[in-house]
């Protein structure tokens, strides 16, 4: 299929390009490089030996989208382009709604004009909010606690309404848990621009000597070791979920959410211990207060994705930490070398 990938130069987007091309799909990237570098596409090109059409532009730019639609004539769109920092979303709510909600709307207008009726949307487990029960399944109430989470939920609702009003349209809403890890080549990985907000890139930067110590945000949660538990998912498994979603969208219609996780919860201490095994050195930690807005534990029930998308995660925790360490140690300054 011809697949337009917005945000294709980003962390998840770049891994997804490789998996799409490996399955014979033709790809085109639209990225504004606000949180990515063109070096990513050079690396994806050399790893795949394939053709990547690419455009520099913003998903809120209707003229640019029309141009891409006309040139590339996508049969499906995977929509990654968006903002994802929970803390920043509280400080800049209008910016988050503008990019994440208006971006999605502008894209849907352009798709409608071009007759493209399949979209895979980059959503998040954060749409669920405080757990009423665990593991979360897709029927769990949605009550996001951040602007970021609400912007994802609003975009999901817009996509759902669009499919209801558009015959044969499909929106696959992939609710990611905590993506980590890197490509087996160690050529692609997560490259946060400032101080990492997320656990895994922070641990990796401590291991490589860029940060002194990991602060553990809270040791008094109601979990076996007192630290927060999450459902970490290898980025290559996540990328493959998008390929499975493209196959599903070929015949399915309507909007459908899918949890994309492993179902296996790991604590902050589990992650530190696993990373120490991968890098062979101790990771310095210090206990800190709970981070505002954090919940104790969450994990996915991904049974729906297993049965309906035919997708399952195959990478375990050691694969997640080993690939992160390979990427970080070979690229201590990310894509800058
Ligand atoms: C994981 C655990 C922290 C950093 C966020 C978003 C979510 C998704 C993924 C998507 C928690 C602890 C962290 C540190 C720590 N984003 N921690 N020290 O908060 O589960 O999810 O990222 O686009 O929407 O909310 O992930 O990696 O920040 O935290 O102790 O320096 O690690 O308290 O228990 P989170 P995280």
């Amino acid at each position: 299929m011809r697949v337009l990938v917005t945000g294709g130069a980003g962390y998840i987007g770049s891994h997804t390009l490789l998996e799409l091309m490996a399955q014979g799909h033709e790809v085109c990237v639209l990225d504004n490089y606000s949180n990515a570098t063109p070096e990513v596409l050079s690396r994806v090109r050399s790893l795949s030996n394939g053709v990547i059409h690419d455009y520099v532009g913003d998903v809120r730019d209707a003229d640019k989208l029309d141009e891409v639609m006309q040139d590339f004539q996508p049969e499906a769109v995977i929509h990654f382009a968006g903002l994802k920092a929970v803390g920043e979303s509280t400080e800049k709510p209008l910016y988050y709604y503008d990019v994440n909600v208006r971006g999605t709307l502008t894209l849907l207008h352009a798709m409608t004009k071009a007759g493209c009726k399949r979209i895979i949307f980059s959503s998040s487990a954060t749409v669920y909010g405080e757990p009423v029960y665990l593991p979360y399944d897709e029927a769990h109430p949605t009550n996001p606690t951040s602007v970021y989470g609400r912007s994802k939920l609003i975009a999901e609702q817009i996509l759902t309404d669009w499919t209801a009003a558009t015959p044969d349209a499909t929106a696959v809403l992939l609710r990611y848990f905590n993506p980590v890890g890197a490509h087996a080549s160690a050529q692609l990985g997560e490259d946060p621009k400032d101080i990492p907000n997320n656990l895994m890139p922070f641990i990796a930067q401590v291991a490589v000597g860029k940060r002194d110590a990991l602060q553990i945000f809270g040791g008094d949660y109601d979990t076996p070791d007192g630290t927060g538990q999450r459902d970490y998912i290898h980025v290559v498994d996540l990328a493959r979920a998008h390929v499975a979603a493209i196959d599903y969208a070929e015949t399915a219609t309507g909007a459908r959410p899918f949890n994309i996780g492993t179902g296996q919860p790991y604590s902050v201490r589990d992650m530190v211990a696993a990373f120490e095994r991968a890098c062979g050195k101790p990771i310095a930690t210090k206990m800190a207060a709970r981070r505002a807005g954090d919940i104790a534990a969450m994990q996915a029930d991904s049974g729906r994705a297993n049965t309906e998308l035919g997708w399952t995660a195959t990478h375990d925790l050691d694969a997640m930490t080993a690939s992160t360490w390979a990427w970080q140690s070979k690229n201590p300054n990310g894509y800058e070398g």
Side-chain angles (χ1 to χ4, degrees):
M1 227 187 263
R2 283 189 309 281
V3 184
L4 171 63
V5 183
T6 75
Y11 171 46
I12 305 168
S14 55
H15 289 80
T16 301
L17 292 175
L18 279 178
E19 298 302 320
L20 286 167
M21 287 190 279
Q23 296 306 315
H25 296 288
E26 200 182 327
V27 297
C28 175
V29 170
L30 174 71
D31 204 301
N32 68 359
Y33 297 98
S34 61
N35 189 30
T37 152
E39 168 68 12
V40 174
L41 294 192
S42 313
R43 293 190 183 192
V44 176
R45 284 189 175 103
S46 70
L47 286 167
S48 66
N49 262 323
V51 176
I52 304 173
H53 308 270
D54 79 283
Y55 291 81
V56 180
D58 193 291
V59 276
R60 293 164 297 172
D61 181 342
D63 292 339
K64 177 57 76 177
L65 283 172
D66 287 345
E67 179 194 333
V68 176
M69 296 288 168
Q70 261 171 25
D71 290 355
F72 184 66
Q73 305 269 330
E75 294 157 284
V77 177
I78 303 182
H79 182 34
F80 291 108
L83 300 171
K84 61 169 187 176
V86 174
E88 185 189 47
S89 76
T90 309
E91 290 151 27
K92 301 177 182 170
L94 302 185
Y95 179 44
Y96 269 68
Y97 287 124
D98 198 58
V99 175
N100 290 359
V101 177
R102 186 162 70 93
T104 303
L105 261 182
T106 312
L107 177 61
L108 279 180
H109 278 300
M111 286 173 61
T112 303
K113 233 198 246 183
C116 178
K117 293 187 174 185
R118 298 182 189 98
I119 185 165
I120 316 301
F121 179 62
S122 189
S123 190
S124 168
T126 201
V127 298
Y128 294 118
E130 191 64 44
V132 178
Y133 56 83
L134 285 173
Y136 294 120
D137 56 22
E138 292 84 354
H140 186 283
T142 48
N143 189 17
T145 53
S146 68
V147 170
Y148 166 70
R150 280 191 287 279
S151 73
K152 288 290 179 188
L153 185 59
I154 293 167
E156 282 197 4
Q157 289 164 339
I158 291 170
L159 289 160
T160 304
D161 290 342
W162 172 75
T163 58
T166 310
D168 305 327
T170 317
V172 186
L173 313 171
L174 298 182
R175 294 177 174 165
Y176 312 156
F177 280 68
N178 289 58
V180 296
H183 191 254
S185 64
Q187 291 284 305
L188 303 178
E190 189 171 10
D191 181 19
K193 281 213 192 309
D194 301 311
I195 301 172
N197 293 311
N198 297 117
L199 179 65
M200 189 70 132
F202 203 105
I203 294 177
Q205 291 195 5
V206 174
V208 85
K210 289 183 76 177
R211 315 253 164 226
D212 292 340
L214 170 76
Q215 291 190 66
I216 299 181
F217 297 142
D220 57 353
Y221 283 111
D222 184 16
T223 58
D225 67 17
T227 66
Q229 287 183 322
R230 296 290 183 272
D231 183 333
Y232 296 92
I233 168 94
H234 195 294
V235 66
V236 171
D237 281 328
L238 181 53
R240 289 177 184 160
H242 294 78
V243 181
I246 287 282
D247 294 341
Y248 167 89
E250 205 163 341
T251 50
T253 56
R256 192 124 171 100
F258 294 93
N259 287 339
I260 305 296
T262 65
Q264 181 67 53
Y266 290 111
S267 72
V268 177
R269 289 204 185 285
D270 292 334
M271 298 306 283
V272 170
F275 209 95
E276 287 175 335
R277 286 197 296 276
C279 72
K281 42 186 166 181
I283 304 291
T285 61
K286 49 186 177 201
M287 200 46 83
R290 290 181 178 194
R291 186 172 61 177
D294 269 355
I295 59 174
M298 63 149 94
Q299 94 224 40
D301 175 341
S302 292
R304 179 186 286 182
N306 301 155
T307 49
E308 295 183 27
L309 299 181
W311 169 89
T312 40
T314 61
H315 294 74
D316 64 10
L317 179 60
D318 286 331
M320 298 180 209
T321 51
S323 61
T324 303
W325 176 238
W327 152 255
Q328 184 73 63
S329 54
K330 292 202 176 95
N331 305 267
N333 298 310
Y335 288 104
E336 279 166 25

